[in-house]
Amino acid sequence: MKIIFHATGGNPDHWLHSLNLALPQHDIRVWHEGDTAPADYAIVWKPPAAMLAGRSDLKGIFNLGAGVDAILQLGDALPAGVPVIRLDDAGMGIQMAEYVSHALLRYFRRFDRYDQQRDAQHWRFLKPFEKSDFSVGVLGLGVLGQRIVDAIGHFGFPLHGWSRTQKHILGVTCYAGTDGLDAFLQASRVLVCILPLTEDTQGILHRENLQKLPKGAYLINVARGAHVVEEDLLALVREEHIAGATLDVFQQEPLPAGHAFWSEPRISITPHIAALTLRDESARQIADKIQALQQGHAISGIVDASRGY
C-alpha cells in the first residue's frame, strides 16, 4: 500500500522512522506540494487543503491527535466518503490525567497560595479545604475525559461530568445537553475542560457560564483555547469569582508577549504540553487500524463530521 504523510510543524523524519517500523511492508512518503501520485491512506496533522482536495483514491485519513477541529475546517477539501480517523488515546490519556491531577491537587492543597507566600517571604498557615466542598466537574466525557475521571476518582472528590448526550459512569453524577449544563456548572468547584472544539463549544466558557461556577471556583483547560473567552475569564479572576486558572491552551499560540495572562499570578500557564502525541504508540495504533480496515473490520475513532468529533 501507498501512504502519504504530512505534519505541519513537525519533523517528518522522526515520524517516518516510527511509521516504517510499524508498517514495514508499505510505501510511506512525505507529501509535497504538487504530489498527486496515488495513495491508499493519508496520515496527517493540520494538512494543507491541496494535499487532500480532489483525491478519490484514499481509503482513510488518519489524524495524528485526538482533536480533529483543524482537519474538519478543510470542509469541502476533504474527499467525500473517506473516513477521517482520530487517535483514540495513544498515550495522551494518562498524560492528561497526570496534568489535571497535579493542577487539582495544587489548588486543593493550596500550594498555589503557598507559592505566592513564598515569593512574599510570608510564613502563614492556611486552613485546608474540605474535600466534600471541593467538587470536580469534567466538561467532556469522551475517551480522554473518562480517563481523567478514572484518575482523580481515587482521591475521593465529589465528581460530576457533562457530555452532549447522556452518559452513565459509576461514581460520577452525569449531566447532558443544554438543559443539564447550568446544573453541572453550579455543582463544579473545579471545572476541567476537555471538550472537542465544535461550533457549539467554541466560546462556551464565557462570562455568563463561568459565573455559574461557585464563587472561588477554579478552571483547568486542557482542551482548546477557543473554548474560553479570555477577557471574560481574566475579569472574573480579578473580581475573585474565579480563584485561579491553569491553562495549557490559548486562543493564540504561542501566547503573545504582553498578554494579560502573563502578569496575572492567579493564572498558571503551560505551552500546550498537557498531552503529547507519542510517535511509536501512535504508529502502532495506525498500523492496527489499517490492518483492520483492509480486512473489512470495524474500527474505533471514525469522526462524525456532523458532530465535529
Side-chain angles (χ1 to χ4, degrees), residues 1-202:
M1 288 186 299
K2 297 183 182 300
I3 299 171
I4 49 176
F5 173 87
H6 177 88
T8 297
N11 185 332
D13 293 339
H14 298 317
W15 273 107
L16 288 178
H17 176 73
S18 295
L19 290 168
N20 280 314
L21 287 176
L23 295 158
Q25 297 90 3
H26 307 304
D27 176 15
I28 305 172
R29 71 179 187 271
V30 175
W31 180 87
H32 296 289
E33 188 76 32
D35 178 356
T36 59
D40 298 290
Y41 293 95
I43 301 173
V44 302
W45 177 248
K46 297 184 177 180
M51 179 182 182
L52 303 173
R55 280 197 172 269
S56 59
D57 50 356
L58 293 177
K59 301 174 185 177
I61 302 168
F62 287 89
N63 186 65
L64 291 175
V68 295
D69 45 288
I71 191 170
L72 292 183
Q73 288 174 3
L74 297 179
D76 292 341
L78 289 173
V82 178
V84 175
I85 304 151
R86 58 175 169 77
L87 297 179
D88 295 322
D89 186 328
M92 290 180 284
I94 185 61
Q95 294 177 72
M96 285 287 191
E98 291 166 350
Y99 185 101
V100 170
S101 296
H102 173 270
L104 168 63
L105 294 175
R106 179 170 177 263
Y107 289 133
F108 176 65
R109 292 295 307 273
R110 312 199 72 174
F111 293 140
D112 59 324
R113 291 288 306 279
Y114 285 121
D115 284 345
Q116 294 172 21
Q117 290 186 180
R118 177 208 59 205
D119 293 342
Q121 299 184 37
H122 190 187
W123 181 284
R124 184 167 72 91
F125 168 80
L126 298 173
K127 183 180 178 181
F129 289 121
E130 292 288 340
K131 191 166 286 187
S132 59
D133 295 331
F134 218 75
S135 57
V136 181
V138 178
L139 188 61
L141 292 174
V143 172
L144 298 179
Q146 291 192 43
R147 184 66 183 84
I148 289 169
V149 165
D150 289 344
I152 62 179
H154 297 290
F155 296 114
F157 295 103
L159 294 178
H160 303 267
W162 182 91
S163 52
R164 191 183 66 85
T165 57
Q166 188 65 51
K167 299 284 181 68
H168 300 280
I169 302 173
L170 184 65
V172 182
T173 302
C174 293
Y175 305 78
T178 303
D179 293 342
L181 184 59
D182 285 2
F184 164 79
L185 292 171
Q186 292 163 8
S188 301
R189 176 71 179 275
V190 180
L191 178 64
V192 179
C193 181
I194 186 63
L195 287 171
L197 182 61
T198 67
E199 289 184 5
D200 292 335
T201 65
Q202 183 158 348

Side-chain angles (χ1 to χ4, degrees), residues 124-298:
R124 184 167 72 91
F125 168 80
L126 298 173
K127 183 180 178 181
F129 289 121
E130 292 288 340
K131 191 166 286 187
S132 59
D133 295 331
F134 218 75
S135 57
V136 181
V138 178
L139 188 61
L141 292 174
V143 172
L144 298 179
Q146 291 192 43
R147 184 66 183 84
I148 289 169
V149 165
D150 289 344
I152 62 179
H154 297 290
F155 296 114
F157 295 103
L159 294 178
H160 303 267
W162 182 91
S163 52
R164 191 183 66 85
T165 57
Q166 188 65 51
K167 299 284 181 68
H168 300 280
I169 302 173
L170 184 65
V172 182
T173 302
C174 293
Y175 305 78
T178 303
D179 293 342
L181 184 59
D182 285 2
F184 164 79
L185 292 171
Q186 292 163 8
S188 301
R189 176 71 179 275
V190 180
L191 178 64
V192 179
C193 181
I194 186 63
L195 287 171
L197 182 61
T198 67
E199 289 184 5
D200 292 335
T201 65
Q202 183 158 348
I204 191 172
L205 297 180
H206 49 69
R207 173 179 276 273
E208 183 180 354
N209 278 340
L210 289 171
Q211 281 184 314
K212 293 169 185 173
L213 298 170
K215 183 174 174 59
Y218 299 89
L219 172 66
I220 303 169
N221 187 16
V222 291
R224 287 289 187 267
H227 288 123
V228 176
V229 179
E230 293 182 346
E231 55 269 30
D232 290 353
L233 172 62
L234 184 64
L236 289 169
V237 168
R238 289 174 172 173
E239 293 166 17
E240 299 185 347
H241 185 83
I242 304 293
T246 296
L247 307 177
D248 186 55
V249 288
F250 305 89
Q251 290 182 9
Q252 181 179 344
E253 296 179 4
L255 188 65
H259 192 290
F261 283 173
W262 287 115
S263 57
E264 173 49 65
R266 290 163 291 192
I267 294 180
S268 297
I269 292 167
T270 52
H272 206 143
I273 49 77
L276 306 176
T277 302
L278 304 180
R279 284 191 298 269
D280 290 347
E281 192 164 340
S282 299
R284 286 192 295 269
Q285 184 180 134
I286 290 170
D288 289 343
K289 290 189 175 186
I290 286 177
Q291 182 178 5
L293 287 171
Q294 290 297 110
Q295 294 173 352
H297 299 320

